[in-house]
Amino acid sequence: MYYHHIANHIGDKIIKLTMYVDDITLFVSDTASGDRIYNILHEFSLASGLKANVDKTEGMWIGEAKTCAYTPFGIKWPKTPIKILGIYFSHNSKAADNFNFITKLDKLTKQLRWWKSRDLTILGRVTIVKNIGLSKLNYVSNVLHVPHDIMKQVNSLIYQFVWGTKSEKVKRDIVNQDYEFGGLKMCSFDICNKATKIKWIAKYLDPSTSAVWKSTFEYLCAKQNLSLYLQSNFSTSELCLPSYYKDSIEFWKNIKSEQVTVKEDLCNQLVWYNTRFTIHDKTVYNHRLLNCGLWNVLDLYNVHGNLLSFEIWKNRGAQNSDYLTWRAIVNSVPIEWKQMINDDVQSFEHCIDTCKIVIGENVKNIMQVTEKDLKKLFINERYKKLDASDFKSQNKYNSLFNTDTMSWSKIYQLPFQVLCENKIIDLQYRIVHRYVGTNRLLFKIGKSVSPNCESCMMYPESIEHLFFGCFVVKNFWFKLIELYSLYVNSDISVTCQDVLLMYEKENDFDNNNINILILYGKRFIYDCKLKRCEVSLNNFTKYFYSKLCLLQNVNCKNKVSFVFLKGFIEHMMVL
């Protein structure tokens, strides 16, 4: 049943809604419309026996009447923000932000503080942030503008949780990367927010999606053919929009490929709403010329590369009043574009694919990408802006081992490819990025009584000394590798570089086995440091054998190596 008083007008469209009575939100233009609604609800109650709960009903004056003190209908008219579908609304934007973001931020802080008390590895903390932490803010950030200070607070909170301290050990733009670039696949809140809003624009452009919110968006933008506008090289300065829509459109514009350097880019240059084609510094749009077939730059020229006269456009349906628009567009075509068209117009194909982006080595249409693809794109863009000085651990190791030929991609991926225990991965990540809590570091900050190694008690305990340089540890490695060499009947030796970063020789099977031995060996050495116990081959044999017994039942690609190493350890135990 449709009543005129409760119809919603958006521009020249009338939106008629069918809804459930339970938990509905209605917008009315005057008190008479409100009375009519209550009459409808009364009639409904007579038929169904269900009544509106006046005690739970709230009202808020909006628009020009927002300061009205009248409280009709016997319902509540609170001065605090009201909640609709999980979102708080108020005339006071700060009060609304406090309810929408600050309260959720407080809950997130409490939850992360609870998880912080658990003995989680860095991978575990990243998982908590991505699956539990940010999910608390996903809904509200999907439908509201996120203030900059809120964005900053959320990012600080989640990264402090990941590192367990306010001091971040590795740059965020590196931590956000994939494993092969030294990252942990972390994602900051601002990147999540940006990806979500871009997908919202893509959803608007999807012709298969039909919804009321599209009409609202079109009404607010006040642009003829908004779909064409968003696909062009438009100017955001021409729009006066609420913050949410402004954010979405600006994010959308920034992601679109706009550099015209090759033919494909030129083919995709729409002339309408394009900042390269302006009249008095404003973009243009002409519906008649568009219907006559003038879409992109190539439409201005014939198959021989010559400019089509305006008479041809008049024959297609243009009017004399369209001449100035046509001439302004023609005059705006850059000389280098004209040269490209005149030189080889036959090789151009008329195609309109204005929503393409480059993800990795692939060019995709924005309509086909996922939020995950967008997040990866933004993370990679930030990574490209880093310079050599940002990779401090790489520079340190290159200087330490006097080489610049190390395969850092393989080094970063090593613990993720050969292992399935997070504590091993956690330690290796700390070693590679050089933030292990050695005695030398702890002594500097007053957390240790001596900077010296606790095994040899002779030299300062650096990362290199702790895991290889100490004569007790070095003796452990030599004995372990010697026994493995005898077991496989091969001559194998390891250096400090092999132990700290990665062992890589010609035999892939031995490489895999030795790297597993080394990774577990380093974890054993570090545990001995924490427990203040002896680093011995006998103790390691028992430690590693217990780990292998657990891993042999795990379905992983290194199962063959684990079975082989179990045989090796059993052979050691017999000896």
Side-chain angles (χ1 to χ4, degrees), residues 26 36 62 307 376 481:
L26 297 169
R36 183 61 182 135
I62 59 176
L307 181 69
K376 185 176 181 179
I481 299 302

Side-chain angles (χ1 to χ4, degrees), residues 328-463:
I329 292 171
V330 170
N331 292 341
S332 298
V333 179
I335 296 175
E336 58 270 22
W337 292 13
K338 294 178 182 178
Q339 192 65 42
M340 290 172 67
I341 294 171
N342 292 331
D343 288 347
D344 195 14
V345 71
Q346 298 291 340
S347 66
F348 285 90
E349 295 182 6
H350 276 66
C351 60
I352 298 179
D353 186 14
T354 57
C355 298
K356 64 178 182 177
I357 59 173
V358 180
I359 299 179
E361 298 180 353
N362 302 317
V363 178
K364 292 185 178 181
N365 188 292
I366 187 66
M367 309 294 291
Q368 300 171 344
V369 302
T370 63
E371 282 189 33
K372 186 176 180 180
D373 291 329
L374 291 171
K375 290 174 186 177
K376 185 176 181 179
L377 173 66
F378 298 138
I379 289 170
N380 288 342
E381 283 180 347
R382 293 186 181 183
Y383 184 79
K384 292 176 182 177
K385 295 178 181 178
L386 299 175
D387 55 34
S389 62
D390 293 314
F391 299 90
K392 295 180 180 179
S393 61
Q394 285 190 22
N395 297 333
K396 176 66 176 180
Y397 280 120
N398 287 336
S399 173
L400 185 65
F401 300 123
N402 195 26
T403 179
D404 57 359
T405 59
M406 286 187 283
S407 178
W408 283 103
S409 176
K410 291 182 179 179
I411 292 170
Y412 288 138
Q413 293 181 85
L414 173 66
F416 301 97
Q417 291 182 340
V418 302
L419 298 167
C420 48
E421 188 175 341
N422 282 355
K423 285 195 174 183
I424 307 296
I425 298 173
D426 182 271
L427 178 61
Q428 181 62 10
Y429 192 83
R430 285 191 275 167
I431 291 171
V432 170
H433 288 281
R434 300 190 64 82
Y435 67 94
V436 180
T438 60
N439 283 350
R440 187 170 68 175
L441 175 62
L442 295 174
F443 180 75
K444 287 181 180 180
I445 60 176
K447 298 293 184 180
S448 176
V449 295
S450 171
N452 289 345
C453 170
E454 294 179 4
S455 294
C456 67
M457 304 297 292
M458 295 174 62
Y459 301 102
E461 186 184 76
S462 62
I463 293 176

Side-chain angles (χ1 to χ4, degrees), residues 31 98 120 127-128 157 163 304 389 510 541 555:
T31 54
N98 182 64
L120 295 175
T127 302
I128 293 298
L157 179 63
W163 296 112
H304 303 294
S389 62
D510 279 341
T541 302
N555 186 19

